[in-house]
Structures are given as C-alpha cells and as structure tokens.
Amino acid sequence: MSDPAPLPARKSGGIAARALAAAGAGAPWLEGLNPEQLRAVETLDGPVLVLAGAGTGKTRVLTTRIAHILGTGRAAPGQIMAVTFTNKAAREMKQRIGSMIGAAVEGMPWLGTFHALGTRILRYHAELAGLKSSFTILDTDDQIRLLKQLLQAENIDEKRWPARQLASHIDRWKNRGLSPEQVPAADGSFANGRGIDLYAAYQERLAVLNAVDFGDLLTKPIKLFQDNPDILAEYHRRFRYILVDEYQDTNVAQYLWLRLLAQGTGDDKPNVCCVGDDDQSIYGWRGAEVDNILRFERDFPGATVIRLERNYRSTSPILAAASHLIAHNEDRLGKTLFTDVTPDDGESEEKVTVASAWDSSEEARAVCEEIEQLQRKGHPLNEMAILVRTSAQMREFEDRFFTLGLSYRVVGGPRFYERQEIRDALAYLRVIAQPEDGLAFERIVNVPKRGLGDTTVRKINALSRGENMSPLAAARLMSETEELRPQARTALRNLIADFDRWRGALETLPHTELAEIVLDESGYTRMWQEDTSPQAPGRLENLKELIRSMEEFENLAGFLEHIALVADVENQENEDAVTLMTLHAAKGLEFDTVFLPGWEEGLFPSQRSLDENGRAGLEEERRLAYVGLTRARRRAKLWFSSNRRIHGLWQSSIPSRFLDELPEAHVDVIEQTSSYGGYGARGYGNYGASRFDRPVEMESAYKTPGWQRAQAARGTGRRPSSGPITIDGDLVARSVTETSSSYAIGDRVFHQKFGYGHIATIEGNKLTIDFDKAGRKKVVDSFVSPHSQAG
C-alpha cells in the first residue's frame, strides 16, 4: 500500500486559502442547511461531536460534510475514512455525495462499515496479522461447527456446554477488544473454567485454517497497529479526516480501533468527526457502549460539540413529550428538540394520547379499530405502524389483522406464525392431530437433535413412497426392523412412542396443557433454554405466546385450521399495509401515526433489563421509549393493559413509570366510553369503565377462560381478579377483612397462578389452600374461583 502524496501546508491568508474560502462560499451543497447544520459542516479543524437528535438531518450533515471537504480541496477522496454501521448506509452515503459533487466519490475506498474497512486493512497486512491475504471470513454456522469440533476434541459434553454459548462468550470478549491472554480469569467460567483455554484453541485453529470471524475483523487490526507503530504511522499519514456515523452504537473494540487511527489526523488536534445521539443508544445488549459518546470531550480535549435540535419530522407535542421523558436520564449530554414545522393540511396538532385496555386482546382490538377509523378518513396504511417491545406482542395484532382483513407487514423478522420456533412447535401438533402429515413429521423428526440424520429421513421417505404409507407409519415400521443402526432405531422408537402417548392424551387433556407437555417432553423448550444467542429469550417468549393463543379455541383441530388460514394470507411487498415491528427494528424509520402498546412495568421497561443492568438498563429502556415516540410524525398513541399473560400466567399489570414521566400539558388521557375499558370505575382509577361491569347484550366471540370467569364473577357480584401481587416472593393481599368467605373447607378451587387445590382452613376472607402442584399457600378468596368456573 503506497502512501498518498502529502498535501502542502496552507498559508494563512494566502491565495490558496482565499480561493478555498471562495469555493466554500459558493458551494451549492451548502444551500438549505440551517445554522446548526452549516456549522457542523464547516467546522473542519479539530475533533467535532455532532449530537444529532431524531429527525434533525444527521445523514445530510454527514454527507454534506464529506462533500464540503472534497469540494474545497481539503483532502483527496482516498484521504477520508468514513465509517458506517451497515452496507446499506454506506451505499446511500456514496449516492448522496455523488449527487452533490460528481464522480469523485468513486475514489473513496475507505467509505464503508467497520468490518469492511477492517477486512481491507487485514488484506493489506495479512502476514503481519498471522494470515495469508486469501484468508476466509467464517459465517456463524461455520464458527459453530468449528467450536463443536473443539468441544468434541476436548471431551466436553456439547449438550451441557453448547457451542453456541461458547460462541456468544467469544463474541462478547472480542467486542471488548480482549485477546485470550487479556480475558479476566473470573470471566472464563464456561465448561467449569475452561472457556479462556477454548478461546485460545479456537484462535489457533482459525490461524491453521487461514480464517477469521467477524470479531477478528476488529481485534486483529487493533493488535496490528499496536504491534507495528510504523504501519499505524502509514495510516496516520494517509487519513486527513475520519468521520463516524452512529457513534453511540460503537462497542469497545470499535472505539479502540478509532482512537488509534484518529491520533494522526490533523497537525495539532485530530480531525475526527463523530455523529450520533446518546439519547438513541439502544443496543447495549449486543455490546454497544453509550459511554463512548458520553466521554468524547475527555477523549479529544478541545472538541467542538454541535447540537442539532431542530426537528423536521414530528409535531411540537410529540417532541415535547419525548424531550420531557428522556430528560429523566442522568447519563446524557443533553439537548431539547424543537420544530418550526406545522401540519401542511391545516389540521391542529394532536397531543400524545394514553389509553388503557382490560387485557392485551382488547388492546389489539382497540388499536385495530383506530386504524380502521383512520383508514376510512383516507389515512394510508403505509403511514401507520405498531411498535412493540417484544416480538411476542405481535401475535394478537396479527390475528386481529387477519380477522379484519387488514393488510400488514412485519419488519425485521418473519410473521409470528412463520417464525422458526413457531413452525417447529406447530409441526409437533400437526403430527399429533394429523399423523399422515409427512412434511410436519420430517421437519421435527430430528429437532432437537436425536441422532436421526438425513440418511434416516431419506430411508423413511423411500419406504413411505414405495409402500404408499405416511412417513410416520414408515418410521414405525423401520423402528422394528434392521435397516437402521441401533441408535437411530432406538431414537425413532422413542419418538413414535411419544407421539402415541401425546395423541392418546388429546382426548383427556386440554389442548393448551398438552402443547406445553409436548414442548417440554420433546426437549424442544430445553433446546432454546440452553441456547445463548440473543434471539433465544425471544423465541421462548414466542412459544409461551403460542400456547396462550390456543386458549381461544375449543380444540386442537380448530386451532390448527385457524393457523392454516392465517398462514395462507399473502404479504404483498408493495401493497398499502400497516407496519408491525419491534422498537429496536424501528430506529431510523418514521410514520405519520405510531401506536405504542404494552407500556407496563415489567414489559416496558423490561424487567430482564432492570434485573441485569440496574439503572443503566432502565436508562436504555427509556432511550428506547424515546426512539419509539420520535418515530411519529403526527400522532403518537400509547396503550397499556390492566392484565397481561407473562411467562404463561395471567398477571395484573402496573402502568409503565414512563407514562408518569410524560408532560401533562402535551398528553391526552383517553377515557374509554366504548366496550374498550381499562380499570373499572369502581375504585380502579379513572381509566374508564370495564366492559365486565355491564351485561352482555349479545353473544361475544371473546371465549378465553378469563372472560368466562369474569362473566361468572359478574353474576356473583365479585369483581374479576387479575391475580395476586407478589413482592419479593411474599403474597400481599389487596384487602383483608373480617367478612366471612363464601367458600367452605374442602371446596375445590382454581387460582390463576397456583392452579387447582382444596381449601384447608378459612380465616375471614383469607384461605389456606393445599394446591395440587404448588403446595400450601395462603391467598385472599377474591383471587380464586370454584373449579367448575375455571374454564
């Protein structure tokens, strides 16, 4: 790699300087910039941090800054390093710069993602990095396969210590820029303390294979620069300007990589410009360090900080609500968004609305009703989005869309019933209900792994076709003959016995309970519990949501028929459709109307995030709420439910603390007057009356066990209960009175958390119950119902 010819020093006030100033003054790319954007573009000397709030023109500033550097001759195309996070962002940046200044952008070889630029550096200096220039970049599947070989060679039980879990540890270490020698001993607990040695063996094996993984594309250039000061000096001479997009999303390795390269840009102070928004740092779970942007001024003394606060997307009430909410975070640099934009159709600006629903099903129906009303007024579906905290929330919205015939698209992943874990679970249920379903049987015959590989499946299919029988019948026959090796025969025989047992239980057990048994006994749930990938917790939540969705159907056959109809709905990419996605997937997008359901404690903010990361986790959750609000251009509609199914159990929900952090002046609380009730008017707050407080005029299609119990309770005069409140494991009664209970000792009752049991003793309205599975518990009688009404 040859060094570029150095640019001459500019004489202050000389002819060249005056010409450059004239070129900048007449630059067409500067037209239309507001004062803050213009300052961010023209401040070219020394370190610059551009704090770009949501909708403030961040991308325009970054691309215009590059165009300005090139257009004024401050640097040649090859002397600028511009780093983005996605290939798509890099392509868009090149296109924008090209439209401003022409083809010069084609000579920008150092515009790309961290990983792409890391690859380029390693190709140049492969031998110094212990590689050949033709090295291979392993994908995740190859990485897992290699780690499995290492575990096998070390006689480590892969079922006890999964390769995917080890891969997660290694990825986390590399995100922190740690080599095997640098990993703290306390952090290597994998496989009873052998994790660090396995990491070292993995790196040695990669070297033998002349291969790297994605983490190496960051860590190896860092080591290269640290071990070879002369190579680092080459890059210091090469790059006059470094620009980084989405700086708040960088991890430790990316930060170290940037610091090393930035040292040499500029004569006195590094010409490094980082653009980002600390209030939109929402990827801590995958290694991003918000501290990188928070300490920019300490890392680069004398840095210029420019705040872009003029928003071109959202209305004033939305921005006021978002700014007031995020101000509750302590670890932030601080800015307040504002806008001069008014609705172009003459309509008044709508406040952010907050509404409640009795449960999540009612929430989905109410949101979809609002969508229909907006559609009837001419609002395109394409300009509406539902943003959820977890993917498990999507199922009820998808079912409702299907019922109403509303078109929708899922962004950032497949539709609920098309997800891998859901299709696997449904395949088990299809084989139970329809033994002839060969496609379903083939899908799960070796999921989880049972030692039944492709060869076994081919033999089963061949026998099935030859004898004109179902694959399950063929498998039963082959399990009794000698065609297969003993291990495969045993595994097949056990699987068939499982299906026979499950099918026999179909007549005696509720289909929801049977589904849980199937997922547990088959090992499918355990497979995802042992999986340490970031997607695994979400997959387990989706499986629980699948079980919950079955409650609305009388039997398994009816449920499977419904699924077949839902799955048959085509998703046309270009049609007018509502967008459904998680809040994480929504970053960078915008819609006229945004619905934000599920603003409840434990769900949003996520209890897992609070438990694992404390205050830092809470602040990231608040940033996620900020991102959700600022996706809305004209309307932001927040919802919470009084009851929600959490981890398979119905629980009463507490409204999210984020709701009380919104400014009252810019928020309207919607008191439901229709059938969509929140907490009832009878002492449950001012969120509107519950539909359970009124007689039902017609037969309802709402057939969940909770609805049936509520109807029964309405007839007895008891308020339907949503479950006990548990604090630190202790049961806390809402009210304990001296009123005699309507139950008698020996009565069999049902409790939503503890299940079925018999009453042992009665003290006022407190019952001591011997539960079948949970043992003896003391509860208030309003939390139970007679077993005959348990649905």
Side-chain angles (χ1 to χ4, degrees):
M1 180 183 69
S2 59
D3 291 345
L7 290 181
R10 298 299 181 193
K11 179 181 177 181
S12 177
I15 293 176
R18 288 162 52 199
L20 285 174
W29 51 81
L30 299 180
E31 296 176 3
L33 297 176
N34 66 39
E36 300 84 14
Q37 292 172 333
L38 185 63
R39 183 175 173 226
V41 168
E42 292 186 323
T43 306
L44 298 179
D45 295 321
V48 177
L49 174 63
V50 180
L51 284 177
T56 57
K58 167 183 70 70
T59 304
R60 183 182 182 187
V61 165
L62 193 62
T63 53
T64 305
R65 183 180 171 91
I66 295 173
H68 193 58
I69 293 170
L70 294 172
T72 56
R74 297 290 291 260
Q79 294 175 312
I80 300 174
M81 173 177 278
V83 190
T84 67
F85 266 81
T86 66
N87 291 315
K88 179 183 177 183
R91 288 193 301 270
E92 290 179 355
M93 192 177 295
K94 281 190 175 183
Q95 291 170 357
R96 288 199 186 196
I97 298 170
S99 66
M100 294 180 191
I101 61 172
V105 70
E106 295 303 322
M108 291 188 68
W110 298 99
L111 191 162
T113 66
F114 277 102
H115 292 97
L117 299 184
T119 302
R120 189 178 183 87
I121 291 170
L122 289 180
R123 297 283 185 202
Y124 276 133
H125 310 287
E127 291 188 6
L128 291 175
L131 298 164
K132 298 177 183 176
S133 60
S134 59
F135 63 81
T136 301
I137 302 173
L138 298 187
D139 61 19
T140 303
D141 288 342
D142 290 334
Q143 182 188 21
I144 297 299
R145 190 176 302 113
L146 178 56
L147 289 173
K148 285 183 177 179
Q149 293 174 5
L150 287 176
L151 292 173
Q152 186 176 11
E154 295 294 327
N155 294 317
I156 295 174
D157 183 3
E158 209 266 329
K159 291 183 178 179
R160 175 69 181 87
W161 303 101
R164 195 172 295 276
Q165 184 178 349
L166 177 58
S168 178
H169 283 290
I170 292 173
D171 183 61
R172 180 164 52 85
W173 291 328
K174 290 185 178 182
N175 283 340
R176 291 158 55 192
L178 300 176
S179 65
E181 301 79 27
Q182 297 170 315
V183 176
D187 203 16
S189 59
F190 180 86
N192 296 321
R194 301 173 66 182
I196 298 174
D197 292 337
L198 289 167
Y199 179 18
Y202 170 68
Q203 292 302 114
E204 292 172 2
R205 186 60 182 159
L206 286 176
V208 171
L209 297 173
N210 191 36
V212 296
D213 60 21
F214 277 94
D216 289 327
L217 298 178
L218 298 175
T219 57
K220 283 189 175 294
I222 292 173
K223 190 173 190 316
L224 173 73
F225 294 149
Q226 292 172 335
D227 293 347
N228 301 275
D230 55 328
I231 300 297
L232 181 59
E234 285 185 33
Y235 286 96
H236 287 166
R237 290 191 294 271
R238 168 173 289 274
F239 298 129
R240 295 184 62 84
Y241 289 92
I242 293 179
L243 301 95
V244 183
D245 192 13
E246 303 287 6
Y247 188 55
Q248 78 281 350
D249 292 334
T250 53
N251 59 35
V252 173
Q254 290 161 338
Y255 165 80
L256 294 172
W257 190 86
L258 172 67
R259 284 294 308 275
L260 286 167
L261 286 173
Q263 291 169 359
T265 59
D267 298 327
D268 300 319
K269 298 179 180 179
N271 292 327
V272 56
C273 175
C274 293
V275 182
D277 183 4
D278 54 318
D279 291 335
Q280 295 189 70
S281 178
I282 59 175
Y283 298 119
W285 50 276
R286 67 183 189 196
E289 288 283 348
V290 69
D291 283 348
N292 291 349
I293 192 170
L294 295 178
R295 63 168 176 249
F296 185 88
E297 292 178 271
R298 295 199 302 273
D299 290 336
F300 300 100
T304 301
V305 179
I306 302 171
R307 288 171 169 80
L308 303 184
E309 299 173 307
R310 190 186 306 267
N311 179 280
Y312 292 95
R313 175 190 300 159
S314 306
T315 62
S316 294
I318 293 172
L319 295 180
S323 296
H324 196 277
L325 172 68
I326 199 63
H328 288 77
N329 271 5
E330 297 179 17
D331 292 335
R332 63 188 296 260
L333 297 172
K335 62 185 174 304
T336 303
L337 300 182
F338 68 92
T339 183
D340 301 326
V341 178
T342 56
D344 53 12
D345 56 7
E347 292 185 6
S348 60
E349 295 180 329
E350 297 184 25
K351 293 183 178 181
V352 175
T353 64
V354 175
S356 67
W358 175 255
D359 61 13
S360 52
S361 296
E362 188 174 276
E363 177 185 64
R365 287 200 301 278
V367 167
C368 290
E369 183 179 274
E370 284 198 72
I371 290 173
E372 284 190 305
Q373 291 173 351
L374 288 169
Q375 186 187 33
R376 284 193 289 268
K377 294 178 181 178
H379 193 324
L381 296 179
N382 279 333
E383 290 300 336
M384 290 186 264
I386 300 174
L387 310 182
V388 297
R389 177 61 183 85
T390 67
S391 59
Q393 292 173 256
M394 294 183 183
R395 198 274 309 169
E396 285 182 290
F397 288 102
E398 292 192 50
D399 278 355
R400 194 66 189 162
F401 285 138
F402 170 72
T403 301
L404 297 174
L406 280 173
S407 299
Y408 74 96
R409 66 174 64 89
V410 175
V411 175
R415 295 183 175 204
F416 183 82
Y417 294 113
E418 295 171 359
R419 299 176 191 274
Q420 174 189 342
E421 65 276 13
I422 301 303
R423 292 177 71 91
D424 287 346
L426 290 173
Y428 273 102
L429 299 177
R430 283 164 54 190
V431 175
I432 292 171
Q434 304 149 4
E436 296 78 18
D437 192 334
L439 292 176
F441 180 74
E442 184 174 339
R443 180 182 181 90
I444 48 81
V445 67
N446 200 37
V447 180
K449 299 292 185 183
R450 301 185 177 90
L452 300 172
D454 293 340
T455 301
T456 301
V457 173
R458 281 197 298 270
K459 289 181 178 180
I460 292 173
N461 286 335
L463 179 61
S464 172
R465 289 191 300 270
E467 299 295 331
N468 196 25
M469 61 174 61
S470 71
L472 182 59
R476 188 185 301 275
L477 183 59
M478 292 194 71
S479 69
E480 300 169 354
T481 59
E482 302 296 326
E483 284 84 358
L484 301 177
R485 53 191 174 84
Q487 182 182 355
R489 284 204 311 275
T490 300
L492 201 56
R493 194 179 300 120
N494 291 339
L495 179 61
I496 292 169
D498 286 340
F499 275 115
D500 290 342
R501 185 177 66 261
W502 296 331
R503 191 172 300 110
L506 187 59
E507 299 299 323
T508 58
L509 288 177
H511 56 291
T512 52
E513 185 176 338
L514 175 62
E516 291 183 275
I517 291 172
V518 169
L519 293 177
D520 286 341
E521 292 186 354
S522 66
Y524 192 77
T525 300
R526 185 173 63 255
M527 180 184 79
W528 289 117
Q529 288 172 338
E530 294 175 351
D531 190 299
T532 58
S533 67
Q535 295 79 22
R539 295 188 191 278
L540 288 168
E541 289 300 318
N542 289 339
L543 290 173
K544 292 169 185 173
E545 180 62 23
L546 176 69
I547 302 298
R548 186 172 103 68
S549 71
M550 298 173 66
E551 292 179 350
E552 301 177 25
F553 299 88
E554 292 185 5
N555 52 48
L556 181 59
F559 171 70
L560 292 175
E561 181 178 316
H562 169 76
I563 298 305
L565 293 172
V566 172
D568 194 46
V569 177
E570 294 185 1
N571 186 19
Q572 298 296 334
E573 194 66 32
N574 298 321
E575 70 179 341
D576 190 31
V578 181
T579 299
L580 181 59
M581 69 175 85
T582 65
L583 285 159
H584 283 100
K587 188 169 178 291
L589 303 178
E590 57 187 70
F591 305 88
D592 278 349
T593 301
V594 169
F595 295 90
L596 297 159
W599 281 46
E600 300 136 30
E601 285 296 306
L603 178 59
F604 194 34
S606 161
Q607 191 61 48
R608 179 184 290 117
S609 208
L610 301 184
D611 291 344
E612 292 179 357
N613 301 301
R615 185 173 67 84
L618 173 61
E619 295 209 344
E620 179 156 323
E621 290 289 299
R622 191 176 282 116
R623 291 193 292 268
L624 192 56
Y626 172 83
V627 166
L629 282 169
T630 54
R631 299 312 94 197
R633 286 193 287 254
R634 298 179 59 178
R635 302 176 194 85
K637 296 178 175 290
L638 282 52
W639 282 83
F640 68 91
S641 298
S642 306
N643 303 277
R644 192 175 292 273
R645 189 74 169 262
I646 305 294
H647 303 306
L649 298 171
W650 280 104
Q651 295 181 12
S652 59
S653 303
I654 301 173
S656 171
R657 70 189 73 188
F658 296 154
L659 294 175
D660 285 330
E661 294 173 357
L662 299 173
E664 292 187 13
H666 298 283
V667 175
D668 278 337
V669 175
I670 306 301
E671 295 191 9
Q672 301 296 333
T673 57
S674 69
S675 63
Y676 301 113
Y679 294 106
R682 304 177 186 174
Y684 283 80
N686 298 316
Y687 295 97
S690 166
R691 58 196 169 86
F692 293 135
D693 294 330
R694 299 190 303 276
V696 178
E697 299 293 339
M698 63 184 71
E699 183 180 358
S700 172
Y702 194 71
K703 294 295 186 183
T704 63
W707 182 88
Q708 293 167 351
R709 285 194 290 274
Q711 293 299 305
R714 183 176 61 82
T716 62
R718 289 200 305 271
R719 175 76 190 182
S721 166
S722 54
I725 299 175
T726 303
I727 301 177
D728 293 334
D730 295 326
L731 193 64
V732 180
R734 289 179 181 155
S735 62
V736 178
T737 70
E738 298 302 322
T739 305
S740 297
S741 173
S742 60
Y743 294 101
I745 294 176
D747 283 357
R748 186 161 176 79
V749 294
F750 175 79
H751 186 281
Q752 292 180 2
K753 179 176 182 180
F754 302 123
Y756 290 96
H758 288 89
I759 297 175
T761 63
I762 299 176
E763 181 185 350
N765 67 340
K766 292 184 293 185
L767 308 178
T768 301
I769 302 174
D770 290 326
F771 289 101
D772 298 349
K773 296 182 179 179
R776 177 165 286 197
K777 304 285 183 182
K778 182 175 287 188
V779 301
V780 178
D781 64 357
S782 60
F783 294 152
V784 301
S785 58
H787 79 284
S788 60
Q789 298 175 4

